[in-house]
Every structure is written in C-alpha cells, then in structure tokens.
C-alpha cells in the first residue's frame, strides 16, 4: 500500500504488466546460481517516482549479492530498501525490507518481501513480480509489479551505471 501511496503522491503513472511473471501453482523455481546474475553488480542511478532512484549491488560473496536502494525527492530520502539475492539450494531468492527516510521499518521485525526466481534469459532475470534486464554494459531496466489495485501495473526503473 505504501508504494501505491508514493506513486500517487509523486504523480507517477504505471504501464500494463507485460514484463513481470509469476510461478504457476506447483511450479518450482529453475536451477540458477549467483554467477547467472552477477551482471547486476554495480552502482546504478535513474529518475523515477519524481526523484532520483539509486541501487548499489555487491558482487557475489558468501552465497549472496547484497543491495541497497534509496529514493531521493527534493533533496530528502523518501524511502530505502536493503536486501539480497541469495543462493537457496539450487536456485535464487531475492529478499528485501523497506524503511522510511528515518530508518523506521515498513515490515515487521522478522518479515521480508520475497521474490522467487521464475526464469532466466540472457541478460534478464525474472523473479515473481520483479524483472531485471541488462540493456547494455551501462544500462539496466527494472520492472516491479504493483498489485495494490484490481489492475496490476508495472513500475519501470531505467538505470544508468553511475561512476
């Protein structure tokens, strides 16, 4: 609900859901390793939600790739995310937590937002409701499914490598 409120506050419009996928009932996540998604590593920035969105991804280490995200509007942090993609058995799982600009958490203490792996393509990884696509060496596109209304919509982040 908070994402929908932020979208409304910043006057952001969404596109129809075409780039994100869900696992079918009973379907298992495919086999994958962090090497399959290490192209995400780096410092990424772009305009989104009326401000500047930034993601910083670490290279694989310790069966995980950690990341931080922040959205800055009018020189103030609107919210943060911290999370990781982890190796779970023979597949990948993305998990994250949200925080207000003052670091007050959105989810409860032990709760995370989880995105199971749906499929991999060359330079593209599909998690449930979240797709990351390598456009080229210096550009990445992230699609996030917003299901807060009757019509699920996709939010698109267009990032460029920063520094």
């Amino acid at each position: 609900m908070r994402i929908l409120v932020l979208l409304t506050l910043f006057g952001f419009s969404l596109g129809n859901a075409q780039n994100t996928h869900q696992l079918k009932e009973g379907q298992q996540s495919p086999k994958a390793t962090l090497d399959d998604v290490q192209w995400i590593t780096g410092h990424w920035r772009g305009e989104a939600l009326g401000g500047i969105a930034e993601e910083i991804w670490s290279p694989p280490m310790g069966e995980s790739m950690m990341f931080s995200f922040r959205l800055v509007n009018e020189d103030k942090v609107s919210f943060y995310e911290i999370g990781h993609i982890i190796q779970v058995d023979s597949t990948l799982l993305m998990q994250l937590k949200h925080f207000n600009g003052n670091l007050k958490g959105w989810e409860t203490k032990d709760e995370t937002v989880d995105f199971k792996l749906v499929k991999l393509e060359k330079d593209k990884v599909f998690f449930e409701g979240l797709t990351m696509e390598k456009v080229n060496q210096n550009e990445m596109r992230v699609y996030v499914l917003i299901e807060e209304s009757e019509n699920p919509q996709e939010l698109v982040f267009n990032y460029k490598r920063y520094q």
Side-chain angles (χ1 to χ4, degrees):
M1 185 63 168
R2 289 179 190 262
I3 295 291
L4 188 60
V5 170
L6 283 170
L7 296 175
T8 304
L9 283 173
F10 300 123
F12 198 86
S13 62
L14 301 166
N16 291 328
Q18 299 175 358
N19 298 289
T20 55
H21 301 284
Q22 302 291 330
L23 289 171
K24 293 180 174 101
E25 191 171 329
Q27 182 182 2
Q28 299 294 314
S29 292
K31 290 185 178 186
T33 68
L34 292 170
D35 288 339
D36 295 320
V37 296
Q38 69 178 344
W39 55 265
I40 299 168
T41 301
H43 189 164
W44 303 93
R45 251 192 201 177
E47 293 182 18
L49 301 172
I52 303 297
E54 177 181 49
E55 291 191 26
I56 302 170
W57 283 87
S58 73
M61 184 171 71
E63 297 186 340
S64 77
M65 290 177 66
M66 67 177 173
F67 78 91
S68 61
F69 168 94
R70 70 176 164 179
L71 176 65
V72 176
N73 293 94
E74 299 176 9
D75 290 327
K76 292 189 179 183
V77 174
S78 295
F79 73 96
Y80 295 101
E81 292 175 350
I82 188 163
H84 59 196
I85 297 175
I86 56 172
Q87 189 78 46
V88 178
D89 299 321
S90 61
T91 192
L92 302 174
L93 176 68
M94 182 175 178
Q95 296 179 302
L96 62 85
K97 290 179 94 57
H98 297 91
F99 301 89
N100 290 330
N102 63 4
L103 292 182
K104 302 283 184 193
W106 294 11
E107 292 82 21
T108 63
K109 180 181 171 186
D110 294 330
E111 180 184 19
T112 57
V113 179
D114 295 354
F115 301 87
K116 293 179 181 177
L117 182 65
V118 175
K119 69 178 180 174
L120 286 168
E121 292 179 358
K122 183 180 180 344
D123 298 329
K124 204 167 191 179
V125 57
F126 298 83
F127 291 96
E128 285 192 315
L130 188 146
T131 300
M132 303 175 89
E133 174 183 28
K134 178 181 174 183
V135 176
N136 60 48
Q137 196 62 30
N138 293 308
E139 294 179 71
M140 177 172 66
R141 193 169 295 130
V142 178
Y143 303 90
V144 180
L145 184 65
I146 306 297
E147 298 182 279
E148 308 260 335
S149 69
E150 291 179 15
N151 281 336
Q153 303 283 309
E154 285 178 354
L155 174 60
V156 182
F157 293 83
N158 293 301
Y159 289 119
K160 292 192 184 301
R161 193 172 294 280
Y162 185 73
Q163 298 178 333

